[in-house]
Every structure is written in structure tokens, then in C-alpha cells.
Amino acid sequence: MNKTNEYKETLQRICSQYELPKEFTNDSIKEFVSKNGSLQSIWGLCNKDLSDADFSKINEETFINLAFNEYTEFPENFKFDYKKIMEEAKNPGLGIRDLQKQGIVGKGINVAVIDKPILETHKEFLSRIKEYVFVNPESEFNDKMHFHGITCASFLCGNTCGVANGANLYYYVYPDKYENDGMYWNYHFKALDMIIENNEKSNTDDKIKIVSISAGFPRDRTDLTARMGKYVKELKDTGCYVIFSNIFGETFVCSSKTYIGNADDFDAYRLDIWQNNEWDKQRILIPAGGRTSPCNSGNENFMYDGNASCYSWAIPYMCGVFALALQVKSDLSYNDFCVLAKETAYKNNARLSVINPKEIIMRLSE
């Protein structure tokens, strides 16, 4: 069995492990997806036969919280234009596509993602992947694909969903099989060793400038904090910046959307209920929820990921904006990028600061 067929079977098995609400109402759907990170909040309506379901009691604002894919069977004459929603949600938003039309695409910038196995032949990555590197080449799980990595990589530099869709991607693959967090982070540290080695032997054009890691650890884990700190410093000294949750969260925060229609509208971005705190309100919002990503089930397949806000999707987006900035000013440090992001952030109607990529690029171009 090839790995895409195996992934389809895995996806079907995952989506069969939970039941949909007996009645679709705004309240029942909100309850259904309320537990962040649960199977139903991640997969929603994916692989479900809803041809006889009644959606008359829910509105579009509620519907966009639900994930769905090409295997979701909607009723005939379905009230929401789900195909349009899926297509519109490929847009990174906030003026990114305008910048791309001007040639600001992260050209010449090498970025790395450390994550689980993906369908590297997906059309979203054609001409994007420079190297696909196995962190543990001997693992029997290197072909066990996972939705997390393909989403992160595409939001950073995918051809249609990505912010820096002209950047070169080095994808470091660790197997989706580990016994504890020590083993999990050892995969990341081994990948960082490989990145250091790559940069030491490479000329300037082949050096990796940004490492995107959609993961983090509690600050009381002093063992991990100390070890990661050494990697961050060593790579920073060579002009390469490692961005993971702990560093990202010092300046930025993830966000979801109030509606899908216009991803370029700063007023469309909000904090989720779980982010109702003063700390998150002071940080800069990065798009995360309400996006479409490629799917491992086929080279041309996509899925709408739902509208849940999460760090995992926001980190590669922010790294993508940083890559655009590096195309304009190659010696820009991450710290200076964060300062510029604060200075140029757009204050929306909810009095929340939203990253402003076009203004960042304009300031760097002056």
C-alpha cells in the first residue's frame, strides 16, 4: 500500500472515532469543537456523510469553525458555499498576495521546518522543497504522514497557502513515534545539529536563515530551556534564527477570524475564548484559524482546517513574514523584526494589534 492510501485509511479511522452532534445548532457545534486539540476540533466534518443532515439551525459564523475535506458529503443544495470558503481560506491575507505580486516572496531566503512526515510531492511544494531530510533515517515510521507538518510548511512557504511562497524549504522529518518528551525534543535537537552542519559547509546562498518549530515546552523545564538556548545562540551568531513557541510568544499570539470572506481585513481577526486575558491582548495577532491547507491524501488535495486559533499555525505564518522582510533587508535580525512589527502593527476595531506585513516591507524599503 502506498503512503497516500495508507493516510486515507488512517484519516477514515480517526474520523470514525467520534460522533457528530445529534442536532446541528449553533450551541451544539460550539460545544462540539470547544475542547482545543480534541479529534473533533481538529477534524470536524472530515470524512463524514452529511447528505441527509439538517444545517438549517446554524449560521455561517458557526459553520466556519468546522473542519471539512473533499471526503465530506454535504446535502444537495447546501446553504453554505463550502467550496468558496475552502478556496478563499487559502489566502494568507493581510495584503500578503499584494506583496507577492510585487515580487516580495521570500526569494533567496532558505527556511527550515522541523516536523512530522508529509506528502512532499504535493503541488503546494513544487519548486519549494530544496531538501527533505530524515532526522532518524532508520525509523520505520518515516512514511507515516501527519497533518501537522504539511500544514505548518504550507503556511510558511506553500505555493498558494504560503506567506513566503518563493522561499526555499528545507524540511527536517522526525517520525511520529516517540515514548516521551525527551525523545521528542531529541529529534528536534538532532535536526538543529544538521542545520548547523548545513550552514557550516554551505556558501551564503545555501545557508538556512529561519527555523520554524511549531512546538514549545514549559519554562520550568530548565533542562530543555538550557539546551535549546545553546542552539538558539549558536545559530543566531551565524545569522540563523530559531523560532519556536516560547520565543514566538514573547511578542506574538495566534488568532482566529470573525468571518472568512476578506482575509485582508484587519478587523476580521480576533482572540478565541481561551485567549481572554490581558497578556494576549497586548501582543501582536498572527493569523492561524480559518485557513485551508494541503492534505496528505493526494498531490492536489486540500482541507479546510476550521477556525480554531493555535500557535502551530501562527508560528510559520510569522516566519513567512520574517522571510519576506529578509528578502528586502538581508541583515535584519529577529529582534529588530519584532521591534518593527510592534511599530507597524494595525490596531483594529477590537483594539487588538494585528501584524501589518505591507507596512513592514514599506518601512524596510525606505
Side-chain angles (χ1 to χ4, degrees), residues 100 103-113 118-133 149-150 152-172 205-206 208 210 294 302 320 323-324 327:
Q100 292 171 347
I104 308 300
V105 294
K107 183 178 180 180
I109 305 302
N110 298 316
V111 299
V113 171
I118 66 171
L119 183 63
E120 75 276 19
T121 57
H122 196 286
K123 69 176 185 178
E124 191 71 1
F125 303 113
L126 292 178
S127 303
R128 294 278 68 75
I129 295 183
K130 193 163 186 178
E131 289 189 21
Y132 189 78
V133 184
I150 197 169
C152 294
S154 66
F155 287 175
L156 200 170
C157 59
N159 287 318
T160 57
C161 305
V163 173
N165 66 350
N168 301 313
L169 174 62
Y170 289 72
Y171 193 91
Y172 289 83
D205 291 341
D206 292 328
I208 293 168
I210 301 171
F302 289 81
L324 301 185
Q327 179 185 335

Side-chain angles (χ1 to χ4, degrees), residues 16 18 36 38-39 58 67 112 114 146 177 191 207 242 258 267 271 281-282 284 293 339 342 361 364:
S16 67
Y18 61 88
N36 234 20
S38 64
L39 290 179
I58 69 170
I114 304 173
H146 197 279
K177 187 70 174 180
K207 291 184 185 298
V242 181
T258 56
D267 292 328
L271 295 172
K281 292 176 183 177
Q282 301 305 314
I284 301 171
S293 68
V339 171
K342 291 177 183 177
I361 297 304
L364 291 172

Side-chain angles (χ1 to χ4, degrees), residues 32-70:
F32 177 67
V33 297
S34 63
K35 187 177 179 181
N36 234 20
S38 64
L39 290 179
Q40 56 264 38
S41 69
I42 294 171
W43 297 106
L45 306 180
C46 290
N47 287 58
K48 300 291 187 179
D49 183 356
L50 305 169
S51 52
D52 295 324
D54 179 8
F55 285 86
S56 64
K57 296 179 180 178
I58 69 170
N59 56 33
E60 187 175 49
E61 182 183 346
T62 298
F63 175 70
I64 64 172
N65 292 315
L66 294 164
F68 57 87
N69 61 7
E70 67 172 335

Side-chain angles (χ1 to χ4, degrees), residues 267-284:
D267 292 328
Y269 297 89
R270 67 180 184 190
L271 295 172
D272 278 352
I273 294 174
W274 64 271
Q275 298 173 292
N276 187 25
N277 59 77
E278 290 305 314
W279 172 240
D280 281 344
K281 292 176 183 177
Q282 301 305 314
R283 292 187 283 174
I284 301 171

Side-chain angles (χ1 to χ4, degrees), residues 332-346:
L332 182 71
S333 71
Y334 177 68
N335 285 343
D336 286 344
F337 170 77
C338 292
V339 171
L340 187 54
K342 291 177 183 177
E343 292 175 351
T344 58
Y346 185 97

